[in-house]
Each structure stands twice: as C-alpha cells, then as structure tokens.
Amino acid sequence: MLQVKQFDGGFTAQNNDVKNCEAIVFAESVRSGRTMLQVIQYVLNEDDTDTNLLCACETLQQEIVNVYTSTILESYLDAELYKVQHNK
C-alpha cells in the first residue's frame, strides 16, 4: 500500500509492501547487473527519475535502518541486562 505524506517542500511516498519493494529492486538489479544495495544507492543518490523504483528504494532503505537499529538496541539491552543480573 502506497502512503503519501505532504510536507512544506512537497510530497514523500512510501510503499508499505516490503515484499513488493524487494521485487521491484531485485528486477532492476537483474536488469542492470548491480547488487540490490548498489541499485538502492544509485537510485537514492544519482538517478531518481523512476518514481516507482525510487519509492521502493526509500522503503527498503527505511526497512534496513529499522532492522539494524532494532538489532543494535537488542544487543545493547541484552548486555545491560547481563550486567544487572551478574552485578558487573
């Protein structure tokens, strides 16, 4: 599902169907001979002419950030809990 938000400078869109976004970026990856991460970086930094691909890349970028943030927080909290439980 595409979610469009308005802000002072214009609009931003996010596709909440991550699997669909993966398929879009994967197809571009196969077509261009790049990895999916290379496609995301190229589209976000250099060529944003394909709005469907841009939206998919932005969604996947946010998903990657969310997963890594969650993983880092879990590791930190596990370490802190270990310290508390073992009085260290």
Side-chain angles (χ1 to χ4, degrees):
M1 180 175 155
L2 190 63
Q3 221 176 19
V4 179
K5 295 178 183 175
Q6 185 175 5
F7 59 96
D8 292 339
F11 294 89
T12 184
Q14 183 174 2
N15 187 337
N16 291 327
D17 183 359
V18 175
K19 292 293 182 194
N20 184 43
C21 293
E22 288 174 348
I24 293 168
V25 174
F26 179 74
E28 178 62 19
S29 172
V30 170
R31 188 195 69 72
S32 66
R34 295 181 173 129
T35 67
M36 289 177 68
L37 287 175
Q38 287 171 329
V39 168
I40 291 170
Q41 180 182 11
Y42 177 74
V43 170
L44 294 177
N45 295 325
E46 297 179 34
D47 181 14
D48 61 359
T49 56
D50 182 340
T51 55
N52 192 37
L53 182 58
L54 175 62
C55 184
C57 288
E58 288 174 342
T59 300
L60 287 181
Q61 179 188 42
Q62 188 59 50
E63 188 68 17
I64 291 167
V65 168
N66 291 345
V67 168
Y68 277 105
T69 301
S70 175
T71 302
I72 290 168
L73 285 174
E74 286 175 15
S75 296
Y76 171 77
L77 292 175
D78 285 347
E80 290 301 306
L81 181 60
Y82 180 85
K83 287 179 188 176
V84 169
Q85 289 177 340
H86 294 91
N87 297 322
K88 294 188 178 208

